Structure formats: structure tokens, C-alpha cells
Amino acid sequence: MTQEVEKTVVNSWNEWDDLKHVIVGRADNCHIPPAEPALDAKVPEDSDMRGQWGRRPQESIDHANELLDKFSIQLENRGIRVDRPTPIDFSQPVTTPDFYTASQFGCMPPRDVLLTVGSEILEATMSYRCRWFEYLCYRPLMQQYWEEDPNFRHEAAPKPRLTDEDYRPDYLSDKIGVEKRLEWAAKKFFVTTETEPLFDAADVLRFGKDLVVQHGFTTNEKGIEWLRRHFPNHRVHSVNFPGDPYPIHIDATFTPLRPGLILNNPQRRLPDEQRQMFNKNDWEIIDAAQPAHNAPPPLCYSSTWLSMNVLVLNQKTVCVEKSEVYQAEQMDNLGMEVIEVELRDAYAFGGGLHCCTADVYRESSFEDYFPKQ
Ligand code: GLY
């Protein structure tokens, strides 16, 4: 079944209602960026990525693109319109009056950059220097949507300066150790300082009137406050997950499946005092299944918990990575239809099934799922 091309309507208020239109990233020309403060803090100390940078091998790019193309076709076959970004030349350096870095990254994970809230798509500030210009890959689509949908609000958060002031030098060492990192994470002593508002879109989950935002390496308190002021009709909640020594992006940690049900990474449980809003409104937070793998694929930034980085198509249907058998089994037990998608070999390009997509349209409305606050 091929999708009839329809005029764009931008509208998505949550993570679970019927998905009708989505952006799927591309792996073209993807680079491992050179060292920079925020990125170094995220690369695990024992990772094969330490000290490496440059263009990824063409064979791996082609294979990742094959998987992303196949995923797009799977979505289209279910009647979902899929758009793709226009990659820029990521080998170019990023130079601003405040910093220089020798290459960029890629555009496999649109979820990191674009936050869709109702009829608005907001370009995040981003917090890595190598990702400063990544929004350009989505501008052709944003322009098209703007032409086609008179209600579309295309917004961009203030570009940050990303000087050295934005990063704590304590994180520059590659010999911090996981114990110390966990201690710092519990104290919310993250690599990013509070010099200016910073956030990546993938730190935000949408629950209708409530936006739940992870405070961590890629989003600081000022970034959360910026979102609060930008979305005055929403309640914006700051959460953190002390069990994560490398806290970036909420979507391998906390995964809402439908109203009333969230999967939480059992190694990164939401602290008790932050559960109140969920408890009071009878939402269940359950442990996600264990990942099927002991280690991430080679040259990958993410952890094995991309197992729970799923794409919910509607309240009864979810895309799960094909090799993640335990996660698929759990979804099945929760009454969800599981669509298997092969993506593991593309993880290294920026993440899993949630990361590599960004919502344009879900059949959803602005609802209050947490009337008891
Ligand atoms: N936060 C992404 C991961 O767990 O790897």
C-alpha cells in the first residue's frame, strides 16, 4: 500500500496516539566528531570510540541507510507518511565567534533536534558544538510544512554560544570511573553548567498538557526553564535518573506506551519524590525488559538500553528492534502488537527507533492526563 501524498498538517501532543506522518533520519556522510567537552563526557571510558574521529566507513553508512529506508517502507506500508531530511556536508567544521570544531555529526536522529508540540516544531538549542548546524538538514521540510500548513508554527530556540563556560572541566578526564559518575549524577552535577539555556529535544517527553524533561548532560535547568516560559499552557516537569552515569536523552530510560503506562529502565529508576504526579493519577511505571545484548554495536554512543527506544505507532502497536526479543516479549505481554524492525547496525549513527524519527502528525489532542498535581 502506498501512501497518498497529502498536504501537511503538523499536530502531535503525545508519544502514543495514532502516528500518521513522521520524519525518519538518514545516515549519509555521518561523522564521528572530534573531541569536545560535552561529547567526551558522554563517551563511556571503555568505549572503542575514545580518540577516534572522522567520516564513518562508506560500507557502514550504506548499510545503515538500507535499514533506515526499509524502516521507512514498513511505516509507509502501514499508511504513515514518511519524510526524510536533506543531509549537509558534515565534514565541514563549525566555526562561530565563540568556538571551533573540526567536523559535524550527521542527521540520523531527528528526535534529538526537533520537538513537536501541537502545531509547533521547535528546533532545540543542542548542546554539542558538532551539532550546532544540524537543524539545517530539516529546513527544507520545515519550509515545506510552513508553505502547506497555515497553522504550523516553526520555532527555533536561541542558539547557544557553547563557550568553555558551558562545560564543567571536571568531566574532561577519561579516568573518572563509573562510581564517581554515579555520585555526580545523583547530585545533578552534570557536564553542562547553567551559563545559558541548553536542551536537546530528545530529553523531552510529551504527555499532553505535561512535558517531562530530563535534566542531565544535554539539558540544563535553564533549558528546562526556557521550555517552561516557551510553553506557558503546559506544565513542564524536570526529572533526573540517578542510575545513569551518562545521562543524555530520556528515550532509553523512560518510555510511555499509552495513557497510564510507562516503561522505566530498571538501572535508572525515577526517584520516589518524582513519582508523585504519576502515582496520584494512577499511572503505572514498570521496569523495562532486559536488553538482548551485553554490549552496544561497535563505534556506538548509546548503551544497550536502546532496547527500550521503541516507536509507538498507536496505543496497541509498537515498533521494536528485531533482535530485542525480551523487549518484544514484554510488549506482547502488555497487549501490544509488535512490529519487528531491523535497526541495530544503524544504532551507531545516532540511536534507536525513537531517536531516528520525529513526529509530524499524530491523531491527538491537547489533553490533561494528570489532573491531580
Ligand atoms: N541515553 C541513551 C543511552 O542509554 O544510551
Side-chain angles (χ1 to χ4, degrees):
M1 183 172 64
T2 30
Q3 165 81 357
E4 217 177 284
V5 179
E6 286 169 8
K7 281 248 161 152
T8 304
V9 177
V10 176
N11 182 70
S12 179
W13 293 100
N14 61 48
E15 307 287 334
W16 53 76
D17 274 332
D18 264 20
L19 185 68
K20 301 281 188 196
H21 183 181
V22 72
I23 300 170
V24 173
R26 288 191 193 278
D28 303 47
N29 196 24
C30 185
H31 279 60
I32 298 176
E36 61 166 290
L39 189 64
D40 286 9
K42 158 67 188 159
V43 180
E45 290 176 20
D46 56 357
S47 167
D48 55 353
M49 300 186 76
R50 289 254 165 202
Q52 300 219 40
W53 70 280
R55 195 175 193 277
R56 287 182 183 266
Q58 189 59 44
E59 218 178 65
S60 68
I61 291 177
D62 291 344
H63 183 44
N65 266 336
E66 248 172 65
L67 298 178
L68 290 161
D69 290 349
K70 277 193 196 153
F71 177 35
S72 302
I73 291 167
Q74 278 180 289
L75 294 171
E76 283 172 349
N77 285 345
R78 301 188 74 94
I80 297 168
R81 174 174 152 195
V82 177
D83 287 337
R84 314 295 298 274
T86 307
I88 56 173
D89 178 1
F90 302 114
S91 71
Q92 288 190 322
V94 182
T95 312
T96 76
D98 293 307
F99 68 83
Y100 167 87
T101 189
S103 96
Q104 302 179 53
F105 168 58
C107 63
M108 185 274 199
R111 189 75 61 178
D112 295 3
V113 183
L114 302 175
L115 175 64
T116 310
V117 177
S119 60
E120 170 173 335
I121 299 183
L122 171 65
E123 295 165 5
T125 67
M126 307 310 285
S127 52
Y128 293 176
R129 292 169 175 167
C130 59
R131 307 191 74 178
W132 211 85
F133 282 119
E134 212 168 297
Y135 68 94
L136 290 175
C137 306
Y138 305 102
R139 281 291 169 93
L141 290 175
M142 296 303 110
Q143 278 168 9
Q144 182 193 339
Y145 300 165
W146 198 83
E147 296 293 342
E148 291 181 0
D149 177 1
N151 296 316
F152 170 45
R153 288 164 52 92
H154 178 198
E155 298 274 353
K159 290 306 285 176
R161 298 191 68 166
L162 301 186
T163 68
D164 287 348
E165 301 286 301
D166 273 325
Y167 309 107
R168 290 205 164 86
D170 313 66
Y171 272 95
L172 286 176
S173 163
D174 58 3
K175 299 207 166 32
I176 300 166
V178 170
E179 209 175 308
K180 175 60 95 189
R181 284 173 180 271
L182 288 171
E183 193 188 308
W184 283 350
K187 288 185 191 153
K188 299 200 247 183
F189 180 78
F190 299 123
V191 64
T192 38
T193 63
E194 292 295 336
T195 305
E196 58 182 340
L198 296 176
F199 67 95
D200 280 11
D203 279 316
V204 184
L205 290 172
R206 301 151 313 137
F207 294 75
K209 192 174 169 60
D210 295 86
L211 300 174
V212 173
V213 190
Q214 174 174 234
H215 178 202
F217 282 2
T218 38
T219 295
N220 62 10
E221 281 179 332
K222 281 197 176 146
I224 298 173
E225 177 57 19
W226 189 90
L227 288 163
R228 199 169 277 130
R229 294 188 200 182
H230 184 73
F231 292 114
N233 298 324
H234 281 76
R235 293 178 293 241
V236 176
H237 308 268
S238 173
V239 293
N240 67 294
F241 299 92
D244 187 358
Y246 304 96
I248 79 157
H249 303 166
I250 195 168
D251 52 359
T253 299
F254 211 56
T255 302
L257 294 181
R258 56 184 180 236
L261 184 61
I262 304 172
L263 298 186
N264 189 186
N265 185 320
Q267 289 180 359
R268 308 172 186 170
R269 292 207 175 99
L270 185 68
D272 285 347
E273 66 279 9
Q274 293 174 34
R275 288 175 179 248
Q276 288 185 13
M277 127 183 177
F278 300 100
N279 293 342
K280 277 188 199 163
N281 292 280
D282 299 323
W283 279 60
E284 227 188 326
I285 301 176
I286 61 171
D287 283 352
Q290 287 296 312
H293 302 273
N294 295 325
L299 299 177
C300 181
Y301 301 90
S302 308
S303 70
T304 53
W305 289 99
L306 286 182
S307 54
M308 58 182 292
N309 189 274
V310 298
L311 181 69
V312 175
L313 299 190
N314 58 53
Q315 294 185 28
K316 293 203 160 91
T317 317
V318 63
C319 296
V320 179
E321 207 288 325
K322 196 175 172 189
S323 64
E324 294 297 347
V325 286
Y326 306 122
Q327 192 52 78
E329 188 185 11
Q330 181 182 34
M331 295 297 186
D332 189 47
N333 291 338
L334 290 168
M336 308 279 290
E337 181 200 345
V338 173
I339 300 167
E340 290 180 356
V341 179
E342 192 183 342
L343 198 77
R344 186 170 155 85
D345 290 347
Y347 280 1
F349 291 79
L353 293 161
H354 194 255
C355 305
C356 79
T357 54
D359 291 18
V360 181
Y361 189 92
R362 283 186 194 262
E363 201 72 61
S364 57
S365 54
F366 184 59
E367 284 183 42
D368 187 351
Y369 297 97
F370 300 95
K372 295 182 198 148
Q373 288 279 323

